């Protein structure tokens, strides 16, 4: 198994472990299926990557994850995450490395795809409220010439702050937007799942 597949396994395990937590959040402000959706999607992603002949290159792995999410997960988040992974795969090129610039480039492509598909913006109380601060943090790290380990650390803080911020705002996209101000006080399930995925990746890379 390649290091990339090992990283995916850790990310998938983290999502599957937090299935009930994500579902509880979604039960408060949505329809209570986000944990189930994401656990099913990550299991499908693991199965798809398992079948790949070359799982040591980022592009085919990201593409397989994205397609698995698009094919196997209903609801809003699965297709949005799926689009994000497919766009990140397409952004891979000869310069893609495990470095700050590649994190920024792939995240930027993923976010553009998610924005185009879902028409949400920062502050709408969605997964983007974790993903955009993550990107901002990596872009700042790139501009400042931070090391990868510094950048990963700062990005974790940014992602967690993004999740906390979603607790303070009303949803303007997705099912939670039906609740309006009643969605204030609960963190957004998609923002939470994005943070769980990033933190699992960070944990993996720290031990790498
Ligand atoms: P559904 O809302 O269809 O039941 P999920 O429960 O799996 O799907 O996912 C809900 C999450 O999807 C929300 O918490 C939010 O983060 C995210 N989401 C919903 N709509 C959008 C959108 N238009 N853009 C970005 N993220 C969105
Ligand atoms: Mg839901």
């Amino acid at each position: 198994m390649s290091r990339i597949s090992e990283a995916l396994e850790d990310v998938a395990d983290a999502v599957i472990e937090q299935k009930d937590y994500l579902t509880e959040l979604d039960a408060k402000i949505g329809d209570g299926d986000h944990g189930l959706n994401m656990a099913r999607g990550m299991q499908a992603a693991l199965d798809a990557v398992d079948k790949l002949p070359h799982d040591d290159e980022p592009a085919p792995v990201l593409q397989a994850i994205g397609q698995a999410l698009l094919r196997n997960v209903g609801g809003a988040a699965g297709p949005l995450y799926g689009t994000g992974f497919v766009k990140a795969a397409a952004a891979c090129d000869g310069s893609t490395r495990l470095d700050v610039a590649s994190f920024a480039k792939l995240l930027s492509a993923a976010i553009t795809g998610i924005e185009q598909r879902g028409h949400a913006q920062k502050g709408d109380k969605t997964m983007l409220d974790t993903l955009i601060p993550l990107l901002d943090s990596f872009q700042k790290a790139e501009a400042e010439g931070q090391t990868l380990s510094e950048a990963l650390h700062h990005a974790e803080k940014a992602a967690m702050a993004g999740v906390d911020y979603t607790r303070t705002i009303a949803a303007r996209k997705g099912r939670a937007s039906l609740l309006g101000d009643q969605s204030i006080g609960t963190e957004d399930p998609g923002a939470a799942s994005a943070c769980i995925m990033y933190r699992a990746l960070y944990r993996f890379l720290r031990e790498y």
Side-chain angles (χ1 to χ4, degrees):
M1 195 195 277
S2 74
R3 298 298 279 169
I4 300 178
S5 285
E6 283 178 36
L8 170 63
E9 197 165 66
D10 279 14
V11 170
D13 284 351
V15 170
I16 292 164
E17 244 166 57
Q18 297 296 319
K19 180 173 85 172
D20 291 345
Y21 177 66
L22 294 171
T23 286
E24 277 163 32
L25 287 178
D26 195 33
K28 286 189 187 151
I29 60 170
D31 57 355
D33 63 355
H34 188 60
L36 295 168
N37 288 341
M38 293 305 295
R40 185 186 325 117
M42 294 315 287
Q43 186 57 56
L46 283 174
D47 295 344
V49 171
D50 207 34
K51 294 199 188 85
L52 282 181
H54 300 290
D55 68 347
D56 52 357
E57 291 286 326
V61 172
L62 291 167
Q63 176 72 17
I65 297 170
Q67 291 293 348
L69 293 173
L70 285 164
R71 288 196 191 120
N72 292 284
V73 188
L80 288 164
Y81 275 125
T83 302
F85 279 102
V86 167
K87 296 292 181 186
C92 290
D93 60 23
S95 70
T96 304
R97 304 262 181 290
L98 185 53
D99 63 11
V100 177
S102 293
F103 261 99
K105 184 172 174 183
L106 270 56
L107 260 173
S108 173
I111 288 168
T112 301
I114 291 168
E115 287 172 338
Q116 281 169 355
R117 181 150 185 163
H119 306 287
Q121 295 174 347
K122 192 171 169 183
D124 284 347
K125 194 174 176 113
T126 72
M127 60 178 67
L128 289 170
D129 290 312
T130 297
L131 297 174
I132 293 174
L134 263 179
L135 171 61
D136 290 346
S137 185
F138 277 108
Q139 285 177 334
K140 181 167 181 277
E142 191 182 1
E144 291 177 357
Q146 292 175 25
T147 65
L148 179 61
S149 92
E150 288 166 341
L152 289 166
H153 173 72
H154 291 137
E156 180 181 50
K157 303 264 175 259
M160 290 168 70
V163 176
D164 283 344
Y165 171 59
T166 65
R167 210 174 278 141
T168 69
I169 55 177
R172 286 196 296 244
K173 286 284 175 207
R175 277 179 211 280
S177 65
L178 302 172
L179 287 181
D181 284 353
Q182 284 177 46
S183 67
I184 296 174
T186 300
E187 67 191 49
D188 177 63
S193 61
C195 190
I196 287 165
M197 290 194 274
Y198 175 75
R199 294 189 78 190
L201 179 63
Y202 176 37
R203 229 175 8 248
F204 177 84
L205 292 174
R206 231 175 7 204
E207 285 153 22
Y208 179 76

